Amino acid sequence: MIRPMLRTGAITGAVTGALLLGGCAVGPDYVRPSVAIPNAYKEATPTTPGWTSARPADDVPRGPWWQIYGDAQLNALEEQVNVSSQSVQKSIATLKQARAMVDYARAGYFPSLTASANAARTRYSANVIDRATSGLIIPDYALALNATWEPDLWDKIGHTVGAARANAQASAADLEGVRLGIHADVALNYFNLRGLDASEKLFGQTIVAYQQALELTQNRFTIGIASQSDVAQARTQLANAQAQQIDLGVLRAQYEHAIATLIGQPASTFFLPPADASFVPPTIPAGVPSDLLQRRPDIAAAERRTAAANAQIGIAQAAYFPQLMLSATGGLESSAFGNLLTAPSRMWSIGPALLATLFDGGARSAAKASAQAQFEGSVADYRQTVLSAFQEVEDNLAALRILQQEAAKQHEAVLASEQALQHMMNQYKIGSVGYLDVVVTQSTALINERLAVDLDRRQMAASVTLVKALGGKWGSSTEAE
């Protein structure tokens, strides 16, 4: 009776020691990397004074921000992104995979149980003396259950679960980033296409005016007060405008095809009829720079990957400490199959095992150094992502401000060129100027009008890009929550 008591005491001591050591976690605690955050954007007056400490909003949907443009056609297109976009579907699958890896890592907390069935016949050598089995053929039949459990003494499994969870959160942020990017691309392509529709409408009006000018010149030529060259110049001007109008179709088709692909439809079956669109960008309050840490999914993803890299350091440090493995086996074993299911065939084994690496040629040190370097690189990526986010907001705030000023002056130029063209046509009718002067004035008017349309389009593009740079929503930190 003494020997079983000793074995039981040893097992109890090992389990008790494992439970006591279970709180000895190793590895650095994670602290979100610090970043330099300005109090306000240089290109905009902040709507909220000062700044607040922000936290990543990994899986907060960006919201239907495109509705601020008040375009029913755009809203309908945007609603198809989450349903049909294959890029979104791929990101959803990636997120599912990352979440499955969290469950996979968490399984390490629990024991594993395996079952085995074995049937073997073994002949032992007859040339081995002083062995009872020498020259015999012995069958062996066995049924067994084996349970093993490795207590998480140094929080290795905890760090593994933490790293998997952080990677899953990063994947959730990546999904929101993909959605935000595709929604923004749909809006950009849509306003570019509508800009071409506006240009085509402008060319249509211009062609009508050029046709009237050609008719006037032909009539003047008929009565002998205009030259043949005047008629040729009028025809050239008209044909050139018609060619430019036709050329717009190339870009329009490309934008239309791009929209089809973004919303998950075949380009061959997608058609977006010409229509007028509003080119007045809505007011977008930028808030304060610290809000970007909550709004931007790419910042959230970078921060979560930094947390995952920090957990990898803890995993590498846990390798320096011994591993305790608790195992138990029980079942039936017999040399005769007929006796396998009888009570005397019972067998069991239970006991702890302690494994420690004494020498590995520096492998663990290299693994820890690699994990530390990966963490430092992740910190740099996070800070660079924040800096790039600030730059993108400033770029588009500046673009909106400058384009608005430029567009105002350009519309003044359009009015002036239209007045100049009307004056020139009146002068031509009374014969005080040649038709070449009319052609030059017509070309100048058309150029100014096209520049005005393009500036309107560029303002809308800058507005969409600003929304994307802000993370798809805006307002104070309280509103963001």
Side-chain angles (χ1 to χ4, degrees):
M1 295 296 293
I2 297 177
R3 189 172 300 171
M5 291 178 64
L6 288 176
R7 285 199 293 265
T8 304
I11 294 170
T12 303
V15 173
T16 303
L19 295 175
L20 291 175
L21 290 172
C24 300
V26 298
D29 294 331
Y30 175 68
V31 178
R32 184 175 296 116
S34 61
V35 290
I37 302 177
N39 290 333
Y41 292 113
K42 179 177 66 175
E43 292 291 341
T45 301
T47 57
T48 304
W51 62 280
T52 57
S53 179
R55 57 176 175 78
D58 312 42
D59 53 358
V60 176
R62 300 303 103 188
W65 53 264
W66 49 88
Q67 294 180 2
I68 63 175
Y69 295 102
D71 191 306
Q73 181 67 71
L74 175 61
N75 294 342
L77 294 172
E78 295 285 9
E79 291 301 328
Q80 298 181 53
V81 169
N82 289 335
V83 177
S84 303
S85 172
Q86 296 307 305
S87 296
V88 171
Q89 296 307 313
K90 178 182 178 181
S91 294
I92 291 175
T94 301
L95 176 58
K96 290 179 180 178
Q97 179 185 12
R99 287 175 174 170
M101 292 306 298
V102 177
D103 295 334
Y104 179 83
R106 193 180 288 118
Y109 283 120
F110 303 98
S112 63
L113 181 65
T114 59
S116 63
N118 180 61
R121 290 174 58 85
T122 305
R123 182 189 185 282
Y124 292 91
S125 173
N127 291 330
V128 179
I129 61 175
D130 295 330
R131 178 181 291 181
T133 57
S134 177
L136 297 180
I137 298 176
I138 300 177
D140 184 37
Y141 304 95
L143 296 173
L145 291 176
N146 182 58
T148 58
W149 178 51
E150 180 183 356
D152 192 20
L153 302 183
W154 319 112
D155 203 29
K156 178 181 179 180
I157 298 175
H159 286 306
T160 303
V161 172
R165 184 183 295 113
N167 283 325
Q169 292 167 342
S171 293
D174 287 340
L175 171 59
E176 292 306 322
V178 169
R179 283 176 174 156
L180 174 61
I182 294 177
H183 282 304
D185 286 344
V186 169
L188 284 171
N189 283 285
Y190 178 80
F191 286 122
N192 285 334
L193 183 144
R194 291 307 181 209
L196 290 175
D197 287 346
S199 294
E200 188 170 5
K201 183 177 180 180
L202 170 63
F203 271 109
Q205 296 169 348
T206 301
I207 289 170
V208 171
Y210 286 0
Q211 288 172 337
Q212 293 173 349
L214 174 59
E215 184 179 353
L216 172 64
T217 306
Q218 287 176 330
N219 291 336
R220 290 170 59 84
F221 172 73
T222 301
I223 62 177
I225 59 175
S227 64
Q228 183 68 41
S229 63
D230 289 348
V231 176
Q233 288 174 339
R235 286 176 176 167
T236 302
Q237 190 83 331
L238 174 61
N240 183 261
Q242 290 171 332
Q244 292 183 65
Q245 183 187 41
I246 294 171
D247 186 65
L248 295 176
V250 176
L251 273 178
R252 192 187 191 283
Q254 291 174 352
Y255 286 133
E256 187 178 68
H257 299 161
I259 292 172
T261 301
L262 288 169
I263 64 175
Q265 293 190 22
S268 302
T269 58
F270 180 77
F271 175 68
L272 203 58
D276 294 332
S278 172
F279 285 96
V280 179
T283 301
I284 303 174
V288 293
S290 62
D291 287 338
L292 285 190
L293 275 67
Q294 295 177 337
R295 299 171 179 168
R296 295 268 301 223
D298 56 341
I299 292 178
E303 189 275 334
R304 291 289 82 201
R305 289 190 171 92
T306 302
N310 183 80
Q312 292 295 330
I313 299 176
I315 296 173
Q317 288 184 350
Y320 282 94
F321 299 90
Q323 297 173 269
L324 177 63
M325 183 67 68
L326 304 179
S327 62
T329 301
L332 301 169
E333 185 176 21
S334 176
S335 295
F337 184 77
N339 297 328
L340 180 63
L341 301 180
T342 61
S345 296
R346 292 176 299 171
M347 60 88 179
W348 59 269
S349 173
I350 186 171
L354 196 64
L355 176 64
T357 302
L358 301 180
F359 178 75
D360 62 3
R364 288 172 295 177
S365 297
K368 181 181 177 182
S370 175
Q372 181 65 43
Q374 182 181 4
F375 172 74
E376 293 171 358
S378 298
V379 171
D381 284 341
Y382 171 68
R383 289 173 175 163
Q384 184 61 41
T385 302
V386 174
L387 289 174
S388 297
F390 291 154
Q391 177 189 344
E392 290 173 10
V393 174
E394 294 285 5
D395 285 348
N396 288 285
L397 285 172
L400 276 175
R401 175 178 59 82
I402 295 169
L403 287 172
Q404 184 180 18
Q405 297 171 357
E406 185 180 358
K409 292 298 181 183
Q410 188 58 45
H411 283 293
E412 292 179 8
V414 168
L415 292 176
S417 62
E418 289 175 348
Q419 292 173 357
L421 178 57
Q422 184 62 45
H423 177 73
M424 189 62 64
M425 288 300 297
N426 291 335
Q427 293 293 315
Y428 176 68
K429 289 177 182 178
I430 64 176
S432 61
V433 296
Y435 196 76
L436 180 59
D437 295 323
V438 175
V439 170
V440 172
T441 309
Q442 286 176 331
S443 298
T444 303
L446 179 58
I447 290 172
N448 281 315
E449 289 170 341
R450 292 197 67 184
L451 285 175
V453 170
D454 190 59
L455 282 171
D456 290 341
R457 179 198 61 80
R458 289 172 62 191
Q459 286 186 84
M460 298 304 291
S463 173
V464 172
T465 310
L466 175 60
V467 173
K468 180 182 177 182
L470 289 172
K473 56 181 180 171
W474 48 87
S476 66
S477 300
T478 302
E479 292 171 347
E481 297 175 357

